Amino acid sequence: MRGERKVRVATLVALTAGGMVCVGPGVAFAGGQDGGASANGGAALADAVQQNTAQAHRQNNNCADGNGLLRGATELMGGRTQTRCVTGDASFNRRTLTEGRGANANGGSATVGTVNQQNVAQKGRQNNSCGSPNDTPITLMGASTENHCVGLDGSTNEDSVTRSGGANANGGSGGAFLDQQDTAQEGRQNNNCADIDTAFVRLTGAETDGRCVDQDSSVNRHMATTGKGATANGGSASAAGLVQQNTAQEGRQNNNCADPIAGVVLTGSQAEGHCLNRDGSVNENGVIKGGGATANGGSSLDDDLLQQNTAQEGRQNNNCANPNNAGINGSGGSARGHCANHDGSLNRDTVVKGGGAEANGGSGGSFTPQQNTAQEGRQNNNCANPNGSELDLIGASAEADCTNHDGSLNQGTLVKGGGAEANGGSAVGGLSQQNTAQEGRQNNNCANPNSTTLALTGASSTNRCATDDRSANVDSADIGGGAEANGGSGLLDLTQQNTAQEGRQNNSCGNPNGLSITASGSRNSSQCEAVDESTNVGTVTR
């Protein structure tokens, strides 16, 4: 396995809370100001294996993130391991002021060695970074492992003001190979969960299950929230390849879940990822101003670049089940990904202003498979889009279910967005790229493999991408900044898809780019659905 000899193994965590004073169970009466949370990675002459996590606001949970080969190797035979990381808020907050400088996570660097790193910055009411092992092999035989990462918000908040400096995750640099995940999340509920980086997972007659859930049943009246947005900046590799995921999410619920950079072998086994946002909150007479979401890709000067850059701004953001440079081999097993947004919230006389979503691709010195996705809207789902990966299934099945369901009630609301923009990167060698920009009430970018090999023998691969709008909107206005997708350039072969969508429901689904598929006695299917049964009275859309 690459990077078995390690010189530096470090886990650095910075946590800060908003300075509230609680009298009695869950009752807050005072405001406060904090200096923010900053986690800065160190530097190594040789290899660097590192996790840098910064979390700022009311509830912070950094849980069950194994780091490094020697400290985090997992081997189970006929056993069971279970992890549950839960943040639950039932507090009552009235006339509170919370000010902070946000959360910043800065990756370290290796002068001549490899960098295997996760940099996570989260700023919000509930922050959960959970079950995301880094450079850790996992071997299960007749065993099971479960990771459940849950945020439950049942708080009541009245006459409150929150101002913060946003969330920034900056990748480090490597002299040799660079494997990295940079995640920045700003919102009410942030969940970074079950994202395996540089790991090898081997399952025989076993089961692994990751469940990442944000559930909001809070009551919010006369609220003002101002944030500086979320920015994820990828690092660079000077002398070797770069494998990287840069994710920036700004919204009420942000879920970055089950996006592996790993090798997975399934033999008569089952691997599942469940990524769910469920909003049943009540929001009245509130103002939310965000700084937008920006994901900037890094560069590889003289070798391959495999990268996913995702920026999402909206009420519900789900970035889920998108393997990058992953090898998935299944024999008699199954792999399933369930990615869903369910909105049943009540919103009355609220104003939401966003800075837009922007995803910018990096540049590669050689072969460059890359996906750049920018989404701005009420519900954003980026799901089941493998990049530079290999899926080899024999008598096995792979399923992905990507769903947006909106049953919310919105009365007298104003939503003003900054638009969605996806800009492709460039390559000295061949370039295989997908650039997708979506702006609308419901955005679904699903089942679009890029530069991926799919081999099926007596097997099945099934993807379902659905948007279902049953919301009620009365005397409401939506003002958008448009959608723009700009392609990159390659000196050699160029295989590229550039998609821009603006509308109430946007579905980019089942569009393979540079896909190599071999099937024998097998089935490969993608189902793309958009159903609109919403009620709209006195609404304005521009």
Side-chain angles (χ1 to χ4, degrees):
M1 177 178 175
R2 185 177 59 246
E4 286 187 348
R5 50 182 184 81
K6 302 298 175 191
V7 175
R8 183 180 184 91
V9 178
T11 299
L12 180 61
V13 180
L15 308 175
T16 183
M20 289 189 178
V21 178
C22 293
V23 180
V27 182
F29 292 98
Q33 182 170 351
D34 66 78
S38 295
N40 300 307
L45 291 178
D47 298 338
V49 181
Q50 200 161 226
Q51 290 171 313
N52 306 303
T53 304
Q55 298 173 314
H57 216 311
R58 189 179 294 176
Q59 289 184 308
N60 304 309
N61 201 350
N62 186 52
C63 165
D65 295 322
N67 183 54
L69 173 65
L70 298 179
R71 294 173 59 181
T74 300
E75 293 188 7
L76 289 179
M77 294 186 182
R80 181 183 183 187
T81 177
Q82 189 176 62
T83 299
R84 295 182 183 273
C85 310
V86 180
T87 55
D89 187 359
S91 64
F92 177 78
N93 310 280
R94 176 177 292 164
R95 293 190 295 276
T96 62
L97 169 63
T98 303
E99 293 182 329
R101 297 180 182 177
N104 297 281
N106 300 306
S109 59
T111 304
V112 296
T114 62
V115 174
N116 300 324
Q117 191 166 235
Q118 292 170 312
N119 304 304
V120 180
Q122 297 175 314
K123 193 242 80 177
R125 188 180 292 174
Q126 291 183 310
N127 302 311
N128 208 348
S129 182
C130 160
S132 301
N134 182 49
D135 195 29
T136 299
I138 300 173
T139 301
L140 304 179
M141 299 181 66
S144 68
T145 177
E146 296 181 7
N147 290 312
H148 292 188
C149 313
V150 182
L152 304 173
D153 188 359
S155 64
T156 299
N157 308 276
E158 298 180 354
D159 303 312
S160 299
V161 176
T162 301
R163 293 192 289 262
S164 76
N168 299 284
N170 300 306
S173 58
F177 204 87
L178 179 64
D179 261 304
Q180 195 162 237
Q181 291 170 314
D182 306 308
T183 304
Q185 297 174 314
E186 183 184 55
R188 187 179 293 174
Q189 290 182 307
N190 303 311
N191 206 346
N192 185 56
C193 164
D195 296 312
I196 303 173
D197 182 41
T198 327
F200 190 82
V201 182
R202 182 182 286 109
L203 306 179
T204 303
E207 180 180 347
T208 180
D209 185 14
R211 295 179 182 270
C212 313
V213 179
D214 282 330
Q215 184 164 320
D216 188 359
S217 57
S218 63
V219 177
N220 308 276
R221 294 189 176 95
H222 305 290
M223 296 280 295
T225 303
T226 304
K228 294 292 183 65
T231 303
N233 297 309
S236 60
S238 58
L242 173 64
V243 180
Q244 193 163 236
Q245 292 168 312
N246 304 305
T247 304
Q249 297 174 313
E250 184 186 54
R252 188 180 292 174
Q253 291 181 309
N254 302 311
N255 207 342
N256 187 50
C257 163
D259 300 311
I261 300 178
V264 181
V265 177
L266 304 174
T267 304
S269 301
Q270 181 172 309
E272 292 193 15
H274 299 265
C275 312
L276 173 64
N277 287 325
R278 186 179 296 276
D279 188 358
S281 64
V282 176
N283 308 278
E284 296 180 340
N285 303 110
V287 177
I288 298 175
K289 294 182 180 180
T294 304
N296 298 310
S299 60
S300 176
L301 297 183
D302 60 3
D303 209 333
D304 295 345
L305 172 70
L306 297 97
Q307 191 164 237
Q308 292 169 311
N309 304 305
T310 304
Q312 297 174 314
E313 184 183 56
R315 188 180 291 175
Q316 292 181 308
N317 302 311
N318 206 345
N319 187 50
C320 163
N322 300 305
N324 186 43
N325 192 37
I328 300 176
N329 294 276
S331 178
S334 65
R336 296 187 179 94
H338 302 275
C339 313
N341 290 320
H342 295 290
D343 187 359
S345 63
L346 169 63
N347 307 277
R348 184 176 288 122
D349 299 323
T350 61
V351 176
V352 178
K353 294 182 179 180
E358 185 175 348
N360 300 306
S363 58
S366 186
F367 184 61
T368 306
Q370 190 165 231
Q371 292 169 314
N372 305 303
T373 304
Q375 297 175 314
E376 185 184 55
R378 188 179 292 175
Q379 291 181 309
N380 302 311
N381 206 346
N382 186 51
C383 165
N385 301 305
N387 183 57
S389 298
E390 296 182 3
L391 288 78
D392 190 352
L393 305 178
I394 301 174
S397 65
E399 297 179 13
D401 193 358
C402 312
T403 305
N404 286 327
H405 179 269
D406 187 359
S408 64
L409 172 60
N410 307 278
Q411 185 173 1
T413 62
L414 170 63
V415 178
K416 187 176 182 179
E421 184 175 347
N423 298 306
S426 60
V428 176
L431 177 64
S432 180
Q433 191 166 237
Q434 292 171 311
N435 305 304
T436 305
Q438 297 175 314
E439 185 186 55
R441 188 180 291 176
Q442 291 181 309
N443 301 311
N444 206 347
N445 187 50
C446 164
N448 301 308
N450 182 52
S451 187
T452 290
T453 300
L454 179 60
L456 303 175
T457 303
S460 67
S461 175
T462 305
N463 298 301
R464 178 176 177 266
C465 314
T467 56
D468 182 14
D469 188 359
R470 300 175 190 272
S471 64
N473 307 277
V474 180
D475 299 327
S476 297
D478 288 325
I479 302 174
E484 184 176 348
N486 300 306
S489 59
L491 293 182
L492 297 180
D493 295 339
L494 177 63
T495 306
Q496 191 167 236
Q497 291 174 314
N498 304 304
T499 304
Q501 296 175 314
E502 184 183 46
R504 185 178 293 175
Q505 290 181 309
N506 301 311
N507 209 347
S508 181
C509 163
N511 302 306
N513 185 56
L515 173 67
S516 175
I517 184 169
T518 302
S520 176
S522 303
R523 184 181 69 174
N524 179 43
S525 65
S526 294
Q527 182 178 352
C528 311
E529 300 176 359
V531 178
D532 187 358
E533 296 185 3
S534 63
T535 300
N536 305 278
V537 179
T539 61
V540 176
T541 302
R542 293 176 182 165

